[in-house]
Amino acid sequence: MHRSAPRLTRILACAAVPVMLVVAGCSSDSGDKKDADSATSASASPDATKSEPAVEAAKFAELPDPCSSVEAKTVTSLVPSAKSKNGTRSKSSDASVRGGCSWNGLADKGVKGSQYRWLDVGFTRFASDQTLGSGAARAGDGFDKQVKKSEATDGAKNVKAGSVSGIGDQATKITYDQSKTDEDFRFTTIVARTGNVVVVVNYNGAGYAGSKTPDAETILKGATMAAKDAVAAVAEANAGGTESPKATDKPSDDSSKKPSKKPSSSAKAAS
């Protein structure tokens, strides 16, 4: 009877060993599985968060000086008796984004009456923005809005619109007649886009005191001359560099403050 007690103790001790090993084995497997899951999750996370591609850089970072954007000889030809050959600069809260200039004058022809002419040029520059899109795309939207606005001019009659070649990346002419101060006026508006800049040129004229109203072809030709000058001025003002290739995170149009060689005018295209 006394010998059975030690024997029983040895049997119980041997029986406990496999149980401990099994428990330890299960615990080890569970840890390995958790480590594997963590590694899998970590390796998958970089692929799950991919950044959006950068927006294309805007082509132009500056606007020309608006009152120098049209060549002096062009101004003299279109507005022979301009009150100011240097033009009247439009007010702008940010000349790097918008600018404009106008000229007007009445040429006295004596007994043949008088001829009145008005010319204005406007520029709007659109910056590339990661949220709003590329400067060129935004300028395209501004171009479309300006064309529609010109076609809907109050009091306009005989409105006609059509594309124009050879001016920037795209251009549209809008011609119409309008009566003001008891006289008949002929108008041409040319809306053009060059890169990320929208250019708007308005040219009109009328005859006073018995002088004939200028013909539509004369006004269209004059507006076309001014538009070509203005578009060329944009390229000249930026002849040294372009805007940063990275789009800004700011929703507003921004540009550099460097002085430009040529002037530019502000168009009223919505940004």
Side-chain angles (χ1 to χ4, degrees):
M1 291 294 294
H2 294 286
R3 295 180 181 177
S4 61
R7 183 180 180 186
L8 179 59
T9 301
R10 288 196 300 273
I11 293 173
L12 292 174
C14 293
V17 172
V19 175
M20 294 174 64
L21 291 176
V22 171
V23 172
C26 292
S27 176
S28 177
D29 289 345
S30 175
D32 292 344
K33 187 176 185 298
K34 288 180 180 180
D35 292 342
D37 289 344
S38 298
T40 302
S41 175
S43 62
S45 59
D47 295 333
T49 56
K50 293 182 178 179
S51 59
E52 295 181 2
V55 174
E56 180 184 6
K59 184 176 182 179
F60 299 120
E62 301 180 41
L63 288 181
D65 176 4
C67 292
S68 302
S69 60
V70 179
E71 297 288 347
K73 62 181 180 181
T74 302
V75 173
T76 300
S77 174
L78 303 186
V79 191
S81 300
K83 295 177 182 179
S84 173
K85 295 295 183 181
N86 294 326
T88 301
R89 191 180 303 274
S90 302
K91 293 182 179 180
S92 174
S93 59
D94 189 346
S96 69
V97 174
R98 300 177 191 276
C101 194
S102 63
W103 300 261
N104 71 90
L106 184 67
D108 188 355
K109 302 291 184 180
V111 295
K112 295 182 179 180
S114 303
Q115 284 288 321
Y116 175 80
R117 294 292 185 274
W118 170 282
L119 170 68
D120 70 68
V121 184
F123 298 82
T124 302
R125 186 182 67 83
F126 296 83
S128 290
D129 183 278
Q130 191 65 38
T131 301
L132 302 178
S134 70
R138 296 180 66 201
D141 291 339
F143 172 90
D144 292 338
K145 291 177 181 178
Q146 186 61 48
V147 169
K148 291 178 180 179
K149 182 178 180 180
S150 298
E151 291 176 329
T153 300
D154 289 341
K157 300 178 293 183
N158 305 318
V159 179
K160 297 178 182 178
S163 60
V164 183
S165 60
I167 303 178
D169 296 311
Q170 61 182 135
T172 294
K173 61 182 179 181
I174 302 97
T175 61
Y176 57 93
D177 301 330
Q178 194 175 46
S179 295
K180 299 193 300 182
T181 63
D182 297 326
E183 302 295 339
D184 294 327
F185 281 71
R186 289 268 162 73
F187 285 78
T188 290
T189 295
I190 292 184
V191 183
R193 180 184 67 80
T194 175
N196 57 308
V197 176
V198 174
V199 181
V200 180
V201 171
N202 293 296
Y203 184 50
N204 64 75
Y208 283 86
S211 186
K212 293 182 179 180
T213 302
D215 62 74
E217 188 61 32
T218 297
I219 299 300
L220 173 59
K221 183 178 179 180
T224 302
M225 289 172 59
K228 288 182 177 180
D229 282 359
V231 168
V234 175
E236 184 175 344
N238 289 272
T242 58
E243 197 167 349
S244 170
K246 292 184 179 180
T248 176
D249 290 331
K250 298 180 180 179
S252 60
D253 299 327
D254 55 348
S255 69
S256 81
K257 308 289 183 180
K258 295 179 182 178
S260 53
K261 296 180 181 179
K262 278 198 151 191
S264 98
S265 318
S266 83
K268 297 181 181 179
S271 60

